[in-house]
Amino acid sequence: MLAMGLLTACSSSNDIESVREQPGQEQLGQADPKDEQEEQEPEAQEPDDEVVYMLPQTRAIELTQEQRAFAKKNNDFTFNFYRTLHASQQEKKSNVTSPLSVTYVMGMLNDGATGKTSEEITNVLGFGDGDKTALNAYCQAFITQAPLADPSVTLEMADIVAADDDVVFEDQYKKDMQDYYEAEVTSLDFADPASLDYLNGWCNEKSHGMIPEILDELSPEVKLVLMNAIYFKASWTEKFDEKDTKVETFTKADGTNVQVPMMKRNADILYNANDIFSSVCLPFGTGDRYLMYVLLPSEGKTVDDVINALTNDYWEQNRQGEPTCVKLSLPRFETDSDFKLNEIISQMGAPTMFDIDKAEFPNMSQNYKNLYVSLMKQKAAIEVSEEGAKASAVTVATMDLSMNLFDKTATFNANRPFVYLIQEWDTGAIFFIGTFQGD
């Protein structure tokens, strides 16, 4: 509950008390004796009958000790993945990605993998020697519980495994996809253009239109398509006032200036500062589950310095801010990204799944054992405004048939490039991470 109610206009303790003592609140348990008789006359007026509790009820995401350890390691995957992705960009543009969505697709791949292919996947994701069931159960915990953590926040996660119509699924693989990933498991005629339309339509629907399509084509070699989609939409716990938004200067990494709409407010929020960055924590919904952190490089530091410093341990030590009255300026922005991930994941230590000669996926199909991942890509988008934020990511992997024979007080003015991430408070799981460069 650390962030709950902090995104408010800076107030004195007297102001807070005056809110608590508004008329009517004391009546819930402290009726005036002289009115007691009147209140008890009609049976319908009894307090137990009148009071309806309609306040949002947040829920903690329940993980085993092993799964909590996985969450920390998977956050290391998140930061390593984003570091590798960011370094691969020739031009430093704004970007956004969901490493968690990648985790889901790699988890579904791992369920059908064996040998070195599976070993690399689990190690890169941070699960070490964790078996298939452990990784699947971890993904299941989030897909079933995360959407319920805060009823005032919309969080949707969806999966699909589509096969060409001549592919016969292994029964256990199909069962795992449905039981652990709540996946739609279907067969389509990939030679029919309607199949591509169906898959892109699924992408458009699950992203609520933020990502209209994910695939350009289905080549004749494609036998399986695995997709994960994550959609997030939430209002700030306390919204920015649109009338306070001003067009101001944002200085890009190359020193050039652009004009951006800058949202403004004075707020009591969690603030932290160290020698690499200062950060603010902006709560969504009820304020105690989903949060957006904005990490502004310290004077003389860059976005690259921030990204290079991030590990789970470092982040855990530096995300715990203190309530501070902050004069806050934050751009209103929209960003979308499209990344091919084959090389990124290979660089991180899992190249075998993409190798036509060495990939091992014998547990997906009864009649096609020599499959490999021909393409992994992700599209993601985010919109941040006075109302709140919404973001979506869709990750896809296509699998082809190998043709070989082998199976305080502070000012936080985000007027230069910054890093941001959206995180669930209790487990620490990071759903989105990105950079805003002013474009």
Side-chain angles (χ1 to χ4, degrees), residues 105 108-110 112-113 117 161-162 164 167 173 190 218-226 353 359-362 364 369-376 396-402:
V105 168
M108 291 190 290
L109 287 168
N110 183 66
T117 303
V161 180
D164 200 2
V167 174
Y173 183 75
F190 284 179
L218 288 172
S219 69
E221 294 78 23
V222 174
K223 289 298 177 184
L224 285 169
V225 176
L226 294 77
M353 74 172 86
E360 299 172 89
F361 291 101
M364 292 180 165
K369 300 297 183 181
N370 51 332
L371 297 165
Y372 74 101
V373 178
S374 55
L375 172 69
M376 187 182 295
V396 63
T398 60
M399 304 193 74
D400 289 11
L401 182 64
S402 169

Side-chain angles (χ1 to χ4, degrees), residues 12 15 24 49 149 181 191-192 207 241 308 324 326 343 348 376 388 394 409:
S12 70
D15 293 332
D49 292 333
Y181 295 87
D192 186 344
S207 68
D241 194 327
N308 289 333
T324 305
V326 176
E343 188 61 31
M348 293 182 66
M376 187 182 295
V394 177
T409 63

Side-chain angles (χ1 to χ4, degrees), residues 227-246:
M227 279 198 286
N228 167 270
I230 298 178
Y231 176 75
F232 174 91
K233 183 179 181 181
S235 297
W236 303 120
T237 303
E238 294 289 341
K239 300 174 184 177
F240 290 83
D241 194 327
E242 287 189 42
K243 75 175 187 298
D244 295 329
T245 300
K246 310 293 182 187

Side-chain angles (χ1 to χ4, degrees), residues 30-275:
Q30 300 177 8
D32 190 327
K34 69 181 181 181
D35 296 329
E36 185 174 354
Q37 183 175 357
E38 294 180 4
E39 290 180 355
Q40 292 179 348
E41 285 178 359
E43 186 175 344
Q45 295 298 314
E46 292 181 5
D48 287 345
D49 292 333
E50 283 188 341
V51 177
V52 178
Y53 293 98
M54 300 180 68
L55 296 175
Q57 299 297 310
T58 61
R59 303 184 186 182
I61 297 176
E62 297 182 2
L63 299 180
T64 65
Q65 286 301 111
E66 181 185 40
Q67 289 170 343
R68 287 191 175 274
F70 283 164
K72 295 178 184 296
K73 293 293 186 182
N74 196 236
N75 276 351
D76 276 326
F77 164 74
T78 289
F79 293 130
N80 290 334
F81 174 81
Y82 189 62
R83 193 161 24 250
T84 308
L85 188 73
H86 182 76
S88 72
Q89 286 190 290
Q90 297 296 320
E91 186 180 355
K92 299 305 183 188
K93 290 186 175 181
S94 303
N95 60 60
V96 62
T97 186
S98 174
L100 188 64
S101 180
V102 178
T103 296
Y104 270 77
V105 168
M106 291 179 68
M108 291 190 290
L109 287 168
N110 183 66
D111 191 77
T114 59
K116 188 176 182 180
T117 303
S118 177
E119 180 183 333
E120 289 178 351
I121 290 173
T122 55
N123 280 326
V124 165
L125 291 178
F127 290 82
D129 296 327
D131 58 24
K132 287 180 173 57
T133 301
L135 175 52
N136 289 343
Y138 176 81
C139 291
Q140 181 188 41
F142 278 96
I143 203 168
T144 56
Q145 298 183 63
L148 305 176
D150 185 344
S152 65
V153 170
T154 299
L155 178 69
E156 299 171 1
M157 305 173 74
D159 298 292
I160 184 172
V161 180
D164 200 2
D165 56 7
D166 66 337
V167 174
V168 180
F169 282 108
E170 288 282 5
D171 291 341
Q172 187 62 51
Y173 183 75
K174 182 176 181 179
K175 184 176 187 301
D176 287 349
M177 294 302 97
Q178 294 171 332
D179 290 351
Y180 290 111
Y181 295 87
E182 300 185 359
E184 175 186 345
V185 181
T186 187
S187 293
L188 302 170
D189 179 4
F190 284 179
D192 186 344
S195 296
L196 180 63
D197 293 340
Y198 181 85
L199 294 171
N200 282 328
W202 185 95
C203 167
N204 183 58
E205 176 189 350
K206 301 305 180 182
S207 68
H208 290 249
M210 295 189 74
I211 303 168
E213 63 178 33
I214 188 72
L215 291 169
D216 298 325
E217 62 176 355
L218 288 172
S219 69
E221 294 78 23
V222 174
K223 289 298 177 184
L224 285 169
V225 176
L226 294 77
M227 279 198 286
N228 167 270
I230 298 178
Y231 176 75
F232 174 91
K233 183 179 181 181
S235 297
W236 303 120
T237 303
E238 294 289 341
K239 300 174 184 177
F240 290 83
D241 194 327
E242 287 189 42
K243 75 175 187 298
D244 295 329
T245 300
K246 310 293 182 187
V247 176
E248 293 186 354
T249 298
F250 183 98
T251 303
K252 300 174 72 172
D254 62 5
T256 59
N257 293 330
V258 294
Q259 299 299 303
V260 301
M262 196 71 79
M263 306 182 297
K264 294 178 172 293
R265 72 175 305 157
N266 294 333
D268 289 321
I269 50 179
L270 296 178
Y271 171 85
N272 183 43
N274 57 45
D275 59 344

